[in-house]
Amino acid sequence: FPFVCLAAHDWKFLRWTPIPTHTSNFYCLPGRAGGSPNGLAAIIFIANKALPGWYSGNPAIIGLASSLLLWVAVYHVADAIQSLCVFLLRCYQITMAPLVVYCALLWGLGLMGGYQLSYRGIGTYPAVQSAIGFWAASAVALALVALSFTGLLWLAVRASVPKPAQVR
């Protein structure tokens, strides 16, 4: 099955359907796709103080790395969700909306927000002069991307399901 697209003909599950034959016995439950990334993010979140200690004995480096790993865990979960959703959206031939969302949120909020947090400060908050500003802004932006793509995917799946004929 070199070409695979997503067909949602049932509310209970999403069915992977090969393009040439439109028949398949392979099914994918969306909830299972997040298990591995969420597990790894949980390990990073729980062990955020221990992991940097394996690589450095300097308390300043361990402290900074520990705080960065919290943002990495958030980023990891959001990235897993958005990457799954964007590929599923491509199966529905929805590509322009994700591009606009990426441009606005990842480049606008993520990159520019990180620059503002790290070097300029925002409002009354001074600049953090650290990589934490970039990781925080990127993680928040990617979480918003994941949320946006999840909503777009829900709309695409809902629109593709045929409505039952009404009885008169």
Side-chain angles (χ1 to χ4, degrees):
F1 301 130
F3 299 102
V4 178
C5 71
L6 184 74
H9 298 293
D10 195 337
W11 286 101
K12 294 179 184 175
F13 55 83
L14 299 176
R15 184 178 68 199
W16 290 101
T17 306
I19 291 174
T21 63
H22 294 292
T23 59
S24 177
N25 292 326
F26 298 102
Y27 298 98
C28 173
L29 295 175
R32 291 186 182 177
S36 179
N38 290 339
L40 292 173
I43 291 169
I44 291 171
F45 186 82
I46 292 167
N48 75 321
K49 301 233 187 280
L51 290 173
W54 294 350
Y55 300 98
S56 175
N58 186 335
I61 292 174
I62 291 172
L64 178 61
S66 294
S67 61
L68 287 174
L69 284 175
L70 294 173
W71 288 110
V72 169
V74 172
Y75 189 92
H76 195 57
V77 170
D79 188 48
I81 294 168
Q82 72 85 25
S83 62
L84 175 67
C85 288
V86 78
F87 282 111
L88 293 177
L89 286 168
R90 286 180 188 167
C91 294
Y92 287 101
Q93 297 179 353
I94 299 172
T95 56
M96 204 53 133
L99 175 66
V100 171
V101 169
Y102 275 141
C103 291
L105 291 176
L106 294 184
W107 295 339
L109 179 63
L111 190 58
M112 291 305 297
Y115 176 80
Q116 284 293 117
L117 281 172
S118 293
Y119 299 118
R120 303 257 182 195
I122 294 180
T124 59
Y125 295 103
V128 293
Q129 298 294 323
S130 165
I132 290 176
F134 281 101
W135 275 102
S138 294
V140 168
L142 200 60
L144 291 174
V145 167
L147 185 64
S148 300
F149 288 175
T150 302
L152 280 171
L153 183 59
W154 181 78
L155 291 173
V157 169
R158 189 167 179 194
S160 73
V161 175
K163 299 192 187 306
Q166 295 198 0
V167 180
R168 292 184 185 203

